[in-house]
Amino acid sequence: MKQDLNTAMMRNSTSNLPIRDKSFFQKISGFSLLEVLVSMAILGLLVTLLYSSFSQISRTSLSVEKSLRGREELRLLMKVVLDDLQAMQYLSRLVELNESESPGVQIDSFETGLIARLVEGPQGAESSSAIDFHAARRARFYPEWRQQDPRLHEIGYRMQESSETGRWELWRREDFYVDPDLFEGGRDYMLTDRVTGFLVELLEQEIELADGGTQENWVKDWDTQELVCERNTEDSNSFCLPRAIRLSMVLEDEDGQTLEESLTINLCVRPCKPEWFE
């Protein structure tokens, strides 16, 4: 009986509730399928544009970074070679090094100088330079002999093709001991395999023109042994070493882009250390 009473009370309370029409529920309906699809399409387009912009900026940044690394490597290589060339010396007769420079070392008389020639390179025959000379500087490849360093060494640069990779490599040779043979001896080190051009040009003479200017005569081959040169001569055109050297190098960066640089240095054509000469 109690259960019947509760049921009756619930029916009475339900019958007293207001009945809402269908228009009320229609007013609070959500987005349509078309609106959702359009919103998703717009959002996808914006995300695509943002990703493309970010990707382009990232690629540009990486490319610039690789180019800067290539430029830095090229300038470092140029500095190494130019420092050696700037220290080039012509020794007509070396009788004995100063005791403070190289204690107890005796060197027989010999002729010396610069030998530069065109050889095969990445661009074909006679497209690259090979140079050998004496330089008055500390050794780079003999740190274990630093205390006995005479600061006078044979140095050479050349390009050669690797038999393993097929790439052209720039090599530096340094001989701790000075001897009459400028082409052999010492230690060889590969500096880089990304240089595709190595050219050395030598200023042979400057010709005075009638109008008061000068004309420079640059050559790519030089052999001191074949020149008639005397260090004490009064002839301004008689030099055992070139008046200036122009070094041009081409390097390929990590992206395969070509980087080029060319610099010219003046040489000390007269003996830089007169105490070495007689």
Side-chain angles (χ1 to χ4, degrees):
M1 181 176 180
K2 186 176 181 180
Q3 184 177 1
D4 295 338
L5 181 60
N6 291 335
T7 303
M9 291 177 64
M10 291 179 62
R11 289 177 179 175
N12 291 333
S13 61
T14 304
S15 61
N16 295 329
L17 292 175
I19 299 176
R20 298 178 180 177
D21 56 1
K22 295 182 179 180
S23 62
F24 174 79
F25 295 99
Q26 292 177 351
K27 292 179 181 179
I28 60 174
S29 61
F31 295 104
S32 66
L33 178 60
L34 179 60
E35 292 173 333
V36 172
L37 292 177
V38 171
S39 300
M40 292 180 64
I42 295 175
L43 179 61
L45 180 61
L46 291 176
V47 171
T48 302
L49 292 175
L50 290 175
Y51 177 78
S52 299
S53 300
F54 176 79
S55 178
Q56 180 65 29
I57 293 173
S58 179
R59 286 196 299 268
T60 302
S61 177
L62 289 175
S63 178
V64 171
E65 184 178 351
K66 291 178 181 179
S67 179
L68 290 176
R69 284 201 298 266
R71 284 287 180 189
E72 184 178 2
E73 181 180 358
L74 178 58
R75 289 174 181 173
L76 179 60
L77 290 170
M78 292 281 291
K79 184 180 186 306
V80 170
V81 179
L82 290 175
D83 284 350
D84 288 341
L85 292 174
Q86 190 74 69
M88 185 186 301
Q89 295 288 329
Y90 170 69
L91 310 175
S92 60
R93 190 165 58 90
L94 185 60
V95 292
E96 183 178 359
L97 289 176
N98 188 284
E99 190 68 17
S100 62
E101 297 280 352
S102 182
V105 176
Q106 294 286 338
I107 301 180
D108 297 332
S109 299
F110 64 96
E111 293 296 322
T112 182
L114 165 68
I115 299 179
R117 64 268 183 209
L118 286 175
V119 296
E120 183 179 3
Q123 286 77 36
E126 296 189 353
S127 63
S128 179
S129 294
I131 54 175
D132 296 275
F133 55 94
H134 287 133
R137 57 162 300 114
R138 285 188 176 275
R140 296 181 186 271
F141 296 163
Y142 298 87
E144 69 276 16
W145 294 347
R146 180 173 295 273
Q147 298 300 325
Q148 294 80 30
D149 192 345
R151 302 186 185 183
L152 181 64
H153 307 283
E154 292 178 8
I155 296 177
Y157 286 93
R158 71 186 186 279
M159 291 192 68
Q160 67 181 39
E161 188 176 9
S162 172
S163 58
E164 298 179 357
T165 63
R167 295 177 62 89
W168 284 87
E169 302 168 338
L170 179 63
W171 286 75
R172 181 183 187 270
R173 179 185 67 87
E174 182 179 85
D175 194 346
F176 191 81
Y177 298 104
V178 175
D179 56 57
D181 188 356
L182 278 175
F183 296 98
E184 297 181 358
R187 299 176 180 176
D188 294 83
Y189 283 87
M190 191 266 287
L191 300 181
T192 181
D193 63 350
R194 294 201 295 170
V195 169
T196 59
F198 180 78
L199 185 63
V200 176
E201 298 174 273
L202 311 136
L203 181 58
E204 185 178 36
Q205 64 179 148
E206 296 173 294
I207 303 174
E208 295 185 2
L209 302 177
D211 58 1
T214 59
Q215 179 180 351
E216 297 179 344
N217 182 27
W218 291 87
V219 297
K220 298 176 182 177
D221 294 279
W222 190 282
D223 190 345
T224 301
Q225 307 303 324
E226 297 179 357
L227 299 176
V228 179
C229 55
E230 297 291 341
R231 70 179 182 88
N232 293 322
T233 183
E234 298 298 329
D235 184 4
S236 61
N237 291 323
S238 179
F239 290 100
C240 300
L241 296 179
R243 298 167 181 260
I245 296 180
R246 181 163 57 214
L247 173 64
S248 302
M249 293 181 67
V250 182
L251 182 138
E252 189 178 85
D253 67 11
E254 299 175 23
D255 283 337
Q257 300 296 321
T258 298
L259 306 175
E260 301 181 22
E261 189 157 349
S262 180
L263 290 174
T264 302
I265 59 170
N266 294 320
L267 294 183
C268 177
V269 294
R270 297 300 182 185
C272 295
K273 292 190 176 182
E275 66 272 15
W276 286 4
F277 300 83
E278 288 188 359

